[in-house]
Amino acid sequence: GDSVTQMEGPVTLSEEAFLTINCTYTATGYPSLFWYVQYPGEGLQLLLKATKADDKGSNKGFEATYRKETTSFHLEKGSVQVSDSAVYFCALSDQGAPGNQFYFGTGTSLTVIP
Amino acid sequence: SQTIHQWPATLVQPVGSPLSLECTVEGTSNPNLYWYRQAAGRGLQLLFYSIGIDQISSEVPQNLSASRPQDRQFILSSKKLLLSDSGFYLCAWSQGYSGNTIYFGEGSWLTVV
């Protein structure tokens, strides 16, 4: 079945450091891939998405490229800020699944220190 | 534009009491609707999803139930809460087309005491 595996945290970085959060997936069809961000006490917000192979999603300085050959969708940011501290979830949507189900990774907690 | 709201935002309930969480979506029609639970420090667990009125699928056997009395309304209920029901509950919606995105409500904190 479909699944998402993402890098376990927590991750602690200094401000302006480079960020990579790894995400790999397993899917039977042709999934769309997403990164969501969750700030403390809030719901999940869409950060970026990619709907086909080699697409690059980007938003707020974050980027991720849909790599079909490695079944990966790693999240990167060149210079993190304290305000980026949050939990990040990788997800996929497989149109072949009943009810258009979404599959989420377990989340990676990021703390950025000044 | 589409919006999703769920309530209440927080509640503290005694063991054995009933539960009702409500969620409504505005600005779209015939959405897919979802209930997720997020235990403290853990990932998302899909509880229920619905592709239409009276079409609800349960992902995890438990003492919770869901209903969809109207196209854009999704309700999560329990007749008797357990301590293990404590957590952060998230309602979400999506449209059923290729490349669709799932959008989440603000979440509801439930503490069973």
Side-chain angles (χ1 to χ4, degrees), chain A residues 32 34 36 38 49 93 99-100, chain B residues 32 34 38 96 99-102:
Chain A
S32 296
F34 308 81
Y36 284 83
Q38 183 180 34
K49 65 184 277 189
S93 167
N100 300 121
Chain B
N32 294 336
Y34 310 81
Q38 187 178 25
N100 60 350
T101 300
I102 187 169

Side-chain angles (χ1 to χ4, degrees), chain A residues 28-42:
Chain A
T28 54
Y30 299 92
S32 296
L33 301 174
F34 308 81
W35 277 101
Y36 284 83
V37 58
Q38 183 180 34
Y39 299 103
E42 299 183 7

